Amino acid sequence: MERWQNKVAVVTGASSGIGAAIVLDLIENGLQVVGLARRLERVEALCDQLSPEKQGNLTALPCDVSDMQSVNEAFDTIVAKFGGIDILVNNAGCLKQGQLVNMDVKEIQQILQTNVMGIVHCTQRAFISMKERSFPGHVVLINSVAGHGVVAPGGTPDTNIYCPSKFAVTAMTEIYRQEFKGLDTKIKVTSISPGAVDTDIVPENARQLMGENMLKAKDISSGVLYAISTPPHVQIHEMIIKPLGELF
């Protein structure tokens, strides 16, 4: 992790769960971290979990990744304050229960705007910063096992467009890998696909089915640390992390 000391990492969806765990671990490992979220006060509250000397390494900014204007405002602030982005962790995600055949189309659009277009919005800005500075940065996409197979806990699926949105993330990871290479950069890209993680996003019916067979948010954060700590010639393209005994 030496090469990342005092470098700038941007984490989306930083207010809770996996995002919050990633923020804390990156700061503990010497990075300056910008936590982006709609619930700004929850990102700011993460300072209470940091030692006094490291609290200044967290910058909280409001951002709705599904809104391009909101993303541009946040990234303009980051570039003005820090000069650029060195690591981007696309963690923000949206899951709503319902069936594709009859749920509100606006909710389906919100999932796609967050899970797919949110990555596009933020990665474009991070890529521009890395490319302009010829910096060998790292883009991490928090994917899901649902991006590799349709997950239907308890019979009739109620995850609707969530699985297709994560399948898109799997494909986008390969697209980014080829683009980063073709555009003559040394930027790495990593997709990390967790199984069930004990966070607020897990619906109660799925939680009951899985019981104790769930990961902790820190387990995923540890995966992020591993991926970014690899030497320059090593790229972890896809990492699938499952709890022992998971049903799917």
Side-chain angles (χ1 to χ4, degrees), residues 3-4 7 85-87 129-138 185-187:
R3 74 189 188 97
W4 296 116
K7 298 300 184 183
I85 297 99
D86 303 316
I87 293 174
S129 172
M130 295 172 190
K131 175 70 172 172
E132 286 179 346
R133 297 176 298 127
S134 299
F135 185 79
H138 203 135
T185 78
K186 298 295 184 182
I187 301 169

Side-chain angles (χ1 to χ4, degrees), residues 136-248:
H138 203 135
V139 176
V140 178
L141 286 66
I142 301 301
N143 196 348
S144 169
V145 294
H148 304 272
V150 175
V151 177
T156 304
D158 62 359
T159 51
N160 48 83
I161 207 70
Y162 181 79
C163 288
S165 75
K166 291 300 186 178
F167 267 73
V169 175
T170 299
M172 289 163 68
T173 304
E174 176 60 15
I175 291 291
Y176 283 137
R177 186 190 70 81
Q178 294 187 26
E179 288 184 350
F180 293 166
K181 178 178 180 291
L183 294 171
D184 195 30
T185 78
K186 298 295 184 182
I187 301 169
K188 296 184 186 183
V189 61
T190 298
S191 166
I192 297 181
S193 295
V197 184
D198 188 7
T199 64
D200 295 342
I201 199 172
V202 179
E204 186 57 34
N205 63 330
R207 188 180 292 275
Q208 290 175 359
L209 277 172
M210 289 176 288
E212 296 181 357
N213 298 323
M214 300 180 74
L215 297 164
K216 301 299 183 185
K218 191 169 178 60
D219 298 326
I220 313 309
S221 179
S222 295
V224 172
L225 292 179
Y226 173 72
I228 67 174
S229 67
T230 54
H233 70 287
V234 176
Q235 176 171 258
I236 306 299
H237 183 77
E238 175 69 54
M239 183 187 301
I240 296 177
I241 307 174
K242 291 187 175 186
L244 184 65
E246 185 174 63
L247 297 174
F248 311 113

Side-chain angles (χ1 to χ4, degrees), residues 5-22:
Q5 296 304 299
N6 294 314
K7 298 300 184 183
V8 179
V10 177
V11 180
T12 69
S15 61
S16 64
I18 294 171
I22 293 170

